[in-house]
Amino acid sequence: MTNLQGLPSSISASVGTPGKARNVPADVECIQRLFNLITPTSGSHLVVDGKCGALLVQRISEYQSNCLNVSKPDAVIDPQGRTFNRLVADARKASPETQAAEPDRQPWLTEPACDGAVTLTDSDFQRAATALGNAVSVNIIKAFATVESGGRSGFGPAKMPVIAYEGHLFRKYTERKYDRSHPLLSYPYVEKAGPQWRANNKNQTTAWATLVAAYRLDPAAALMSTSWGMFQIMGFNFAACGYTTVFDFVTAMKTNAGCQLKAFVGFCSKNPALVKAIKNKDYVGMAARYNGADYGDYDKRIQTAFEALERKK
């Protein structure tokens, strides 16, 4: 078999789903490079690092489904197996321009920009309550933070905002363009926190990897389809939060917890019905206005969090 740009002509062991494949680093790099060869310049390229992460597993699964018509892809590439041979054949057909493409690492999105202020003080919460009106309880605002992010911080260990990616919204903003080619990034809404959502958001590492993959397809749509920070405000609410673009909004969400609280206050201020529900401790109204019609038990969770905070007074 002819080598492609210096790649080995075969792999020594299977690559793909951890637990099913051996994932020898040199073999993983080979597969990553092969996928990059067949990906258009504007597409989502893989970082060639020899590590089989969620993005590579997703790419293998999508390739088996879309190019090989496998109904139940296992996301595993075996040496000299059908997936490997087809992948090599497709790489041979790729144009030189495509072959020379470098991975897009999206430095703006993935580089930490936090100034270190990852938590809020009681005074911060008090100022937010005052901004929303005299009848607003500080502990109601804390309850929202508790339900959305645990109440301690809107940042993860790497000082990046806590996020959750919503593929059904990406589907909406991209007009279903990627339903077939990227079914784990663009899919119809079935139920709240459905199987695709759980797969994409099982932890923050996976959530960020998913966001980066979507960002490479459509930056604005990806950011608008993600919830951000301590209060998990959806990116599509950027204007209601006081920002001109979703990029400005995300920049603020990456900066500190104070910016995340400011966005929450801005969002609530543009929704008088939500503020009224907050003042009246109307938990159903809060849930519907903040979390949408399919809010599940959000009303009960807000009430439970609020009452727990009240008992600590």
Side-chain angles (χ1 to χ4, degrees):
M1 186 181 299
T2 304
N3 285 4
L4 295 166
Q5 293 194 339
L7 291 176
S9 60
S10 63
I11 54 177
S12 65
S14 56
V15 171
T17 304
K20 294 182 178 180
R22 286 185 58 189
N23 291 322
V24 176
D27 294 335
V28 174
E29 285 192 12
C30 176
I31 298 302
Q32 289 169 329
R33 292 182 185 279
L34 285 172
F35 272 116
N36 284 345
L37 290 177
I38 66 172
T39 302
T41 304
S42 60
S44 174
H45 286 78
L46 297 165
V47 175
V48 180
D49 58 3
K51 300 176 182 178
C52 186
L55 288 180
L56 179 56
V57 172
Q58 175 181 310
R59 187 65 60 83
I60 296 170
S61 178
E62 292 173 350
Y63 185 81
Q64 290 174 330
S65 176
N66 297 331
C67 297
L68 300 177
N69 296 317
V70 177
S71 59
K72 295 182 179 180
D74 61 0
V76 173
I77 298 178
D78 293 314
Q80 300 305 319
R82 181 185 175 200
T83 304
F84 181 81
N85 290 335
R86 173 64 181 273
L87 185 58
V88 170
D90 286 347
R92 283 176 173 169
K93 298 175 185 177
S95 69
E97 180 181 355
T98 299
Q99 292 178 3
E102 290 295 325
D104 184 358
R105 299 176 187 271
Q106 305 300 341
W108 171 81
L109 178 62
T110 55
E111 286 182 359
C114 179
D115 62 12
V118 298
T119 59
L120 298 172
T121 66
D122 286 341
S123 296
D124 292 328
F125 282 107
Q126 182 60 65
R127 283 192 292 271
T130 300
L132 291 176
N134 294 331
V136 172
S137 167
V138 171
N139 280 339
I140 283 288
I141 298 178
K142 289 184 177 181
F144 274 101
T146 298
V147 171
E148 293 292 350
S149 63
R152 292 178 295 276
S153 176
F155 289 84
K159 291 189 176 180
M160 294 293 284
V162 174
I163 65 167
Y165 174 82
E166 303 283 356
H168 69 284
L169 291 175
F170 185 74
R171 181 182 195 240
K172 170 186 174 182
Y173 291 122
T174 57
E175 299 180 338
R176 306 184 182 187
K177 180 179 179 180
Y178 299 105
D179 280 12
R180 181 171 175 79
S181 61
H182 296 78
L184 294 182
L185 298 179
S186 178
Y187 51 81
Y189 184 88
V190 177
E191 60 178 318
K192 198 170 191 68
Q196 293 102 326
W197 188 94
R198 293 193 297 271
N200 287 335
N201 297 288
K202 64 181 180 180
N203 54 48
Q204 283 301 294
T205 299
T206 302
W208 271 96
T210 303
L211 171 58
V212 168
Y215 185 92
R216 287 168 174 165
L217 298 175
D218 190 314
L223 300 181
M224 290 193 295
S225 303
T226 302
S227 57
W228 297 85
M230 184 177 289
F231 299 91
Q232 287 296 283
I233 298 174
M234 292 301 308
F236 64 76
N237 288 313
F238 67 88
C241 295
Y243 296 92
T244 304
T245 70
V246 70
F247 299 94
D248 294 336
F249 169 79
V250 171
T251 296
M253 296 304 96
K254 292 173 62 181
T255 301
N256 58 44
C259 288
Q260 295 176 1
L261 178 60
K262 180 181 177 182
F264 172 80
V265 172
F267 174 76
C268 292
S269 298
K270 291 292 178 67
N271 192 332
L274 173 58
V275 174
K276 181 179 179 180
I278 289 173
K279 290 180 177 180
N280 294 336
K281 297 183 179 61
D282 172 8
Y283 300 107
V284 170
M286 282 187 259
R289 295 290 179 178
Y290 195 79
N291 208 243
D294 187 12
Y295 58 78
D297 64 347
Y298 195 89
D299 56 329
K300 296 179 177 62
R301 292 163 61 199
I302 286 287
Q303 182 175 1
T304 298
F306 172 72
E307 291 175 350
L309 289 163
E310 286 288 292
R311 287 194 294 270
K312 294 180 180 179
K313 283 185 175 180

